[in-house]
Each structure stands twice: as structure tokens, then as C-alpha cells.
Amino acid sequence: MNIINLLKIATKALSNNKTRGFLTMLGIIIGVASVITMLAIGQGAKKGIQSQISEMGSNLIMIQPGGDMMRGGVRQSSASMESLKLTDYESIVNENRYLTAVSPLVNTSGQVIVGANNKATTIYGVNQDYLKINNFSIEDGDMFTDHDIQSAAKVCVIGKTVVDELFTNGENPVGQTIRFKQIPFKVVGVLQSKGFNSMGMDRDDVILAPYTTIQKRVLAITHLHGINVSVIKEEYSELAMNELSGILRQNHKLKPGDPDDFTLRSMEEISSMMNTVTTMLTILLGSVAGISLLVGGIGIMNIMYVSVTERTREIGLRMSIGARGIDILSQFLIESILISVTGGAIGILLGFAISWIVSMFVTSSVQLWSVVLSFAVCTVTGVFFGWYPAKKASQLDPIEAIRYE
């Protein structure tokens, strides 16, 4: 019996039980749609994090005080360390070979006030390179100058969120005065909006001021809370980190074998870590969704057993007039594959539709490999779970099958 006739017989058998066939397909449809949607959400999260890290500056390296230092048997946190000084910043500027921008960093949080309006925010003491390092740009006004840094001028640049909450009447904030911890700052510029990052942090809720101003007039300190640098190219990150480590260890007079009293973190390192986390999340989501495919496969096996039982006499008649065991096997196997493949095709369409709807609320990205994988799995599922019932049908004794009631 040729394949065309077998397809006709299988199609007719399924069309005689449309409702049962559709309900059997439903497990495969839901399974394939779930796998595609879950993987799309996982890949979307991965791309979203990569995009946010890229916006923060893929070439960024952050230097923070503190490392594996132990004092009195207690490990010191970066908040309690004062190991970064202005001399470290100056040495990095003068001795580096792989950096395009270097900015010291000191910061503190508090209330900022304009008239009757106030809000809690964070003010960062930086230099002009901070804009380049973190991909910020000025939308209105100007950045503070070298002279402002040298004189510790009380000037600042503010983000959009600060503008919206303090200047509620729509006035231009440039040239206005705001008060941070009772210290007046003249607004010289407004940052272009950056929005929220993948961790939900509002990047527009920020005030930038000369680092000397924050050190002397706000915090009364001489050390730095950090140093941010930007590498020429991302592939030079490791070389730059080794160079920075050498400069800082020399400045801090650390002997070979002494632990670092500073910490280096590159965005490449953070990106790699986040990619690992999102990949594991994607695998977990896909595995959970894949369970529904397994359930759908069990449903196919169950319905094929029922079909073999119901059509035992038909099988006996076919075998008595010359149908071979391989023909009976092929007939039921084709029915199983038709159920799984048709369900897979509908599931793919449903998966695309659900992913499109989900993308309106969270980032999702349907990958071609996930579609191919889902379709391949559902086809294999049809063959695997349809084989045993089909094999059982092909091994029936024709005489016993004809007598079956």
C-alpha cells in the first residue's frame, strides 16, 4: 500500500472523529505555544539586559574602594574603606594607555528643594568625562567647566525626573537655584532623558555636580567613593583592568601577595554574569513549558490505544484481504504524526500571537531556533508516542481481530 493511500485512510479516520482529534491536538498546541512564548520571554529579557548594559557603557570599568581586606578578623566593606584618593585618579589619567575617559566619583543622597517642592534624590560629584563614560548628553544648557571644578563651584546638571518634580509649572530650570541639604546649587544644564533601566532604576533621577564641590562643601571628605573609566575598545577591557590594578597597587604600596584594597568591575564581566543568569532562566522556562509537550504526547498515545481498540475488526479485515503488518503500522503511525504535526503548526501560530501580545507589556523575542526546535520535538513526539499503539495494531491476529466485539 503506497503512502498516498495511507495518508487518505489516516485523514479520513481523523475526520470521522474531529472533536476527539482536536482535543488530542490541544495538548500539542498548548505545549508548542508555551515553549515558543516562554523562550521568547527569556530571550527578550536577555536582549533587554544587554541593551541596558550597552546604554550604561559597554566599555565601562568601575573602581571601588575595598577588596578582600581583613582588619581584626573582620572583612571590610567598600562603604567603610577610604582607599581611593585623588592621587589615584590623577595617576590613572597620566599613566593609562587603554582609556578614553576617567571620572572620579563621590555621591550622597538627600532632599533637594525648590520653593514648596522637594524630593529625595542622589547627587553625584563627577567631572565632564562622566557624561561620555555613561552615555549621557546635555539637552538644555551646558555641562559645568574645569574652572567650576577647580573652584568647587556650587553648580549642577539635573535629570528629567528632578526637573518634572521640582519645576512643576513648566519653567526652564537652567539658571534657577536648587537647594541640596541647605546648600544652594545653580542649575547650568539639563540631561537628556534616559528612562528606566532593566533593574527598574530611574536614570533621570540624578544630579551631577563637580566632585570637588561634593567633597568640600557637602561631605567634607578627601577620599573618593569610586572612579569610573571608559576603555578605548571592549576587547581591551582585560588589559585595562590589569593596567589599573598595577597603577593602584603601586600607589597604595601593596606588596606581592597583599590583597587588593580596591575592587575592579567591568561591564563585560557584569554582562557575562547576567547572560548566564538569563540563559539559565530561559532553559528553566523552556523546560517547564516542555512538560506540556510531554503531556500532549501521552495524550496521543492514549487516543491511539483507544483508536486501535475501536478499529480492531477493521484491522482484521484489512489484514485478511492482504494488508501487511507494516501497512497497519504505517497507517496508525501516520495518524499519530498528522495529529502532532497539525497541532504543532497551530501551536506555532498561537505561540507567535501570544508572544506578540506579551511584547506589549514586557520585552519578548521569538527566535527561529525555538520554532524549529518546537516543531521538531512535536514531530518526534508523534512518532515516539504513536509507535507502540501502531506496533500493537500491526501484530494483531487477523482471525482474532475479526471476531473482536
Side-chain angles (χ1 to χ4, degrees):
M1 190 176 292
N2 62 46
I3 190 68
I4 301 299
N5 288 333
L6 288 173
L7 279 170
K8 288 180 179 178
I9 294 170
T11 304
K12 185 176 180 181
L14 291 174
S15 64
N16 289 337
N17 296 281
K18 294 183 181 69
T19 303
R20 187 170 72 182
F22 175 74
L23 291 176
T24 306
M25 287 180 194
L26 198 57
I28 297 295
I29 292 171
I30 293 172
V32 171
S34 299
V35 169
I36 290 174
T37 303
M38 292 298 99
L39 292 178
I41 292 173
Q43 288 296 313
K46 188 174 183 178
K47 286 189 173 181
I49 290 172
Q50 288 174 339
S51 175
Q52 293 292 344
I53 289 175
S54 177
E55 284 187 13
M56 290 173 66
S58 59
N59 302 344
L60 169 66
I61 295 178
M62 295 173 288
I63 308 169
Q64 295 176 317
D68 295 327
M69 295 291 290
M70 301 282 288
R71 290 184 181 174
V74 179
R75 189 174 302 279
Q76 300 295 302
S77 69
S78 60
S80 64
M81 300 291 287
E82 299 180 4
S83 57
L84 289 182
K85 305 292 184 180
L86 280 174
T87 52
D88 295 322
Y89 158 65
E90 292 164 358
S91 295
I92 291 171
V93 170
N94 296 327
E95 299 174 25
N96 83 83
R97 293 174 295 169
Y98 303 104
L99 309 179
T100 59
V102 183
S103 174
L105 175 67
V106 286
N107 62 277
T108 184
S109 298
Q111 288 289 123
V112 59
I113 301 170
V114 174
N117 300 322
N118 69 87
K119 80 176 301 297
T121 189
T122 302
I123 189 166
Y124 294 89
V126 295
N127 66 10
Q128 299 93 324
D129 280 357
Y130 189 82
L131 297 184
K132 180 179 180 180
I133 294 169
N134 291 274
N135 292 331
F136 279 114
S137 58
I138 300 294
E139 183 178 82
D140 189 19
D142 298 295
M143 185 62 172
F144 46 79
T145 65
D146 288 334
H147 180 266
D148 293 326
I149 294 175
Q150 292 166 5
S151 61
K154 292 180 284 188
V155 295
C156 67
V157 175
I158 60 178
K160 281 286 188 179
T161 299
V162 178
V163 172
D164 293 339
E165 295 196 26
L166 295 184
F167 298 92
T168 54
N169 296 324
E171 62 267 40
N172 187 351
V174 177
Q176 303 285 337
T177 298
I178 64 175
R179 301 184 70 84
F180 183 86
K181 293 185 176 181
Q182 304 305 315
I183 300 171
F185 284 84
K186 180 181 178 182
V187 178
V188 295
V190 176
L191 295 170
Q192 189 169 11
S193 179
K194 298 283 286 185
F196 288 83
N197 64 15
S198 57
M199 275 73 83
M201 181 184 298
D202 185 1
R203 300 194 68 196
D204 296 327
D205 187 8
V206 63
I207 301 175
L208 304 182
Y211 65 90
T212 50
T213 306
I214 305 303
Q215 279 185 312
K216 296 176 182 179
R217 301 182 186 276
V218 179
L219 297 175
I221 59 175
T222 58
H223 63 275
L224 299 175
H225 292 152
I227 302 173
N228 288 359
V229 305
S230 181
V231 185
I232 297 171
K233 292 182 180 179
E234 190 171 349
E235 53 264 34
Y236 293 156
S237 291
E238 187 173 349
L239 290 172
M241 289 182 72
N242 291 335
E243 180 182 67
L244 290 168
S245 179
I247 293 172
L248 292 173
R249 287 185 65 86
Q250 182 177 357
N251 271 18
H252 299 178
K253 296 180 172 57
L254 297 176
K255 299 176 182 178
D258 287 347
D260 293 338
D261 59 354
F262 55 87
T263 303
L264 300 176
R265 289 283 183 271
S266 71
M267 295 311 295
E268 185 180 10
E269 179 183 344
I270 295 172
S271 177
S272 176
M273 180 184 68
M274 295 303 295
N275 282 342
T276 300
V277 172
T278 53
T279 297
M280 292 300 295
L281 175 63
T282 302
I283 292 172
L284 176 62
L285 291 174
S287 299
V288 171
I291 293 173
S292 56
L293 267 179
L294 177 63
V295 173
I298 294 171
I300 290 177
M301 179 180 279
N302 180 54
I303 208 65
M304 293 309 297
Y305 266 123
V306 172
S307 183
V308 168
T309 303
E310 288 179 345
R311 295 158 63 186
T312 299
R313 294 191 66 188
E314 175 193 330
I315 294 168
L317 287 171
R318 288 185 184 279
M319 295 182 76
S320 67
I321 60 175
R324 298 167 299 169
I326 188 65
D327 296 325
I328 302 300
L329 174 67
S330 300
Q331 175 188 335
F332 282 92
L333 196 56
I334 288 172
E335 287 184 28
S336 173
I337 293 172
L338 279 175
I339 290 173
S340 62
V341 169
T342 305
I346 297 172
I348 288 171
L349 295 176
L350 182 61
F352 271 102
I354 295 174
S355 298
W356 178 75
I357 294 171
V358 168
S359 67
M360 297 179 181
F361 305 97
V362 297
T363 304
S364 67
S365 175
V366 177
Q367 303 294 300
L368 178 60
W369 64 265
S370 69
V371 175
V372 174
L373 177 64
S374 300
F375 193 76
V377 169
C378 74
T379 302
V380 171
T381 299
V383 174
F384 181 80
F385 287 99
W387 175 265
Y388 190 74
K391 186 69 175 176
K392 181 181 178 183
S394 71
Q395 293 174 341
L396 289 175
D397 180 82
I399 303 302
E400 294 296 327
I402 292 173
R403 289 176 179 174
Y404 182 83
E405 293 295 336

